[in-house]
Amino acid sequence: MKTILHIGMGKGGSTYIKNNIFKKFKNSIFLEQLSEEMIDLMTLNNIQLEEKNVFKNILTDQNQKEKEYLFISNSSATVPKRFDQFIICDRLHSKLKGCMVILILRNQKSYIRSFYLERLAAGIYINYKNFFEYCIKNYNISILPFLNYYDLVKYYSEKFGKNNLKLFLYEELFDHNKNFNKNLFEEKTGINLGNIVFKQEKVNSSIPDQLVGLRCLINRLIRYDDGEGLYSMPTRSINQHKDFSLKYYYKVLLNRFFKSPILLKIFRRKGNFNNNEINQHIEKLYGKSNFKLQKEFNLDLKSNGYPFLDT
């Protein structure tokens, strides 16, 4: 049994990969981030983790002989809530030595935009510019430190071995959010996808740019939380657990409305997030790091529009 560890990034087609590849292999085992094993690995303290053999029911002699693959998909490993990225890497390596690691990177400008829209769906009511300023002011507890890809890639390559780390750019693997590049995936991973039929569906669908202002206004006017929101920034979000109350259905239906096929067809994106001031700031944050990443790991970041400073 060969172990394949997919660690994200989030916003990099993780759901598509899980549903259209990992779950399609019949003679294999699939673990996702909400499995007991992954929850233990992500949340237990060091003493508890040492005492508990997390994968004892998975890495059995019988499974090793009979199963083709163990697929583990956990995008929260790269953006963890409790421990930092590198502690999680150490934990994964201690339990899964010698496995193949799949990491899909996404242009930081696009990632932050998508992350904002996700938070918008959760209830925040500030615009993109204010959201980014909030992240800068609260840098150490924001999403921004997790997007320094060079440090993350370098650490995983040292732990698992450079040959075992399979790096993809989201823009190349999903043809800029259009089609999944099956040949590229097979070439890099060596996983034969055989006769799997891939749905040519849009990945990471989000609300049109023109409706962001309206969604902010609705979030500000109509509360659907119990007081304190899920996020520390100005918010109207509710807890992540499904309580099946009226406010839960309101949130779900509101999100479905703003992502409805009719609205997505009528309102097409026009680049309302192309704020030059924000883009320049992102360039300063990640440009030099991306330059080192391209040079050392042979990734075509510059041609794919990533923040890039070679001076």
Side-chain angles (χ1 to χ4, degrees):
M1 180 173 69
K2 187 171 184 178
T3 301
I4 310 297
L5 174 61
H6 169 236
I7 57 172
M9 302 275 295
K11 308 298 172 192
S14 296
T15 302
Y16 186 94
I17 294 289
K18 288 189 294 184
N19 292 339
N20 291 281
I21 297 179
F22 299 159
K23 291 183 179 180
K24 294 289 181 71
F25 280 80
K26 294 181 179 179
N27 188 33
S28 297
I29 301 171
F30 172 62
L31 299 177
E32 56 185 338
Q33 61 192 46
L34 293 180
S35 67
E36 181 183 351
E37 293 80 6
M38 285 296 99
I39 291 175
D40 286 344
L41 193 139
M42 297 291 293
T43 60
L44 295 180
N45 62 43
N46 288 340
I47 295 176
Q48 293 170 325
L49 193 64
E50 285 295 325
E51 293 176 347
K52 188 168 185 179
N53 188 349
V54 175
F55 295 105
K56 67 178 179 179
N57 296 324
I58 303 297
L59 299 177
T60 64
D61 291 338
Q62 184 176 359
N63 283 341
Q64 295 281 12
K65 293 177 181 178
E66 296 179 357
K67 301 296 182 182
E68 184 178 6
Y69 289 107
L70 166 60
F71 292 110
I72 302 174
S73 184
N74 185 9
S75 58
S76 61
T78 46
V79 189
K81 292 183 178 180
R82 184 169 184 183
F83 304 107
D84 71 25
Q85 298 166 306
F86 309 106
I87 291 176
I88 298 300
C89 176
D90 290 340
R91 290 180 164 211
L92 289 168
H93 179 255
S94 69
K95 306 296 181 182
L96 302 167
K97 290 184 177 69
C99 72
M100 178 193 297
V101 180
I102 296 175
L103 176 58
I104 304 171
L105 306 177
R106 183 172 178 176
N107 188 321
Q108 287 97 337
K109 298 174 186 176
S110 174
Y111 188 106
I112 295 170
R113 174 193 181 283
S114 181
F115 187 78
Y116 165 72
L117 292 176
E118 178 188 85
R119 294 305 185 255
L120 186 68
I124 67 168
Y125 56 78
I126 53 179
N127 62 32
Y128 179 59
K129 185 174 184 295
N130 290 337
F131 169 81
F132 185 78
E133 290 174 352
Y134 176 91
C135 290
I136 292 296
K137 290 177 182 178
N138 300 274
Y139 179 84
N140 289 331
I141 59 172
S142 73
I143 189 65
L144 301 181
F146 295 110
L147 302 182
N148 187 333
Y149 297 148
Y150 176 78
D151 290 344
L152 179 68
V153 170
K154 186 75 172 177
Y155 200 78
Y156 267 90
S157 69
E158 290 175 352
K159 284 290 179 180
F160 288 89
K162 197 169 184 178
N163 291 334
N164 289 330
L165 178 60
K166 308 303 177 182
L167 294 173
F168 294 91
L169 300 185
Y170 170 82
E171 295 76 16
E172 294 176 349
L173 186 59
F174 289 95
D175 189 20
H176 297 272
N177 212 18
K178 296 175 184 177
N179 300 310
F180 176 71
N181 192 331
K182 175 182 175 181
N183 293 333
L184 178 63
F185 187 87
E186 287 184 323
E187 179 186 338
K188 281 199 172 187
T189 64
I191 300 174
N192 184 1
L193 301 182
N195 297 320
I196 294 178
V197 178
F198 293 93
K199 296 179 181 179
Q200 298 304 338
E201 57 187 2
K202 191 171 184 180
V203 184
N204 293 319
S205 177
S206 56
I207 74 171
D209 294 353
Q210 297 94 325
L211 299 179
V212 168
L214 176 61
R215 183 62 196 269
C216 287
L217 178 62
I218 293 175
N219 287 352
R220 179 183 288 271
L221 293 178
I222 304 176
R223 293 181 63 93
Y224 51 96
D225 64 332
D226 291 322
E228 182 180 358
L230 178 61
Y231 306 105
S232 56
M233 65 186 69
T235 181
R236 292 290 183 267
S237 96
I238 60 175
N239 294 329
Q240 287 182 314
H241 66 271
K242 299 177 181 179
D243 57 6
F244 299 105
S245 63
L246 182 61
K247 62 181 179 291
Y248 169 75
Y249 286 111
Y250 167 76
K251 178 180 179 180
V252 170
L253 291 174
L254 187 64
N255 287 334
R256 287 184 179 178
F257 169 75
F258 275 98
K259 291 184 180 181
S260 64
I262 295 176
L263 290 180
L264 292 176
K265 190 172 183 179
I266 296 175
F267 298 98
R268 299 183 182 277
R269 292 202 183 104
K270 294 184 178 180
N272 292 349
F273 286 83
N274 289 331
N275 184 298
N276 289 332
E277 183 181 347
I278 292 177
N279 287 341
Q280 288 174 7
H281 206 134
I282 295 174
E283 201 88 21
K284 291 179 181 178
L285 282 175
Y286 307 114
K288 291 183 179 180
S289 172
N290 285 347
F291 170 71
K292 291 195 295 181
L293 183 61
Q294 174 167 300
K295 186 177 180 180
E296 291 187 30
F297 292 90
N298 195 30
L299 297 171
D300 196 5
L301 301 176
K302 189 174 184 179
S303 296
N304 282 287
Y306 282 63
F308 200 83
L309 294 174
D310 53 4
T311 56

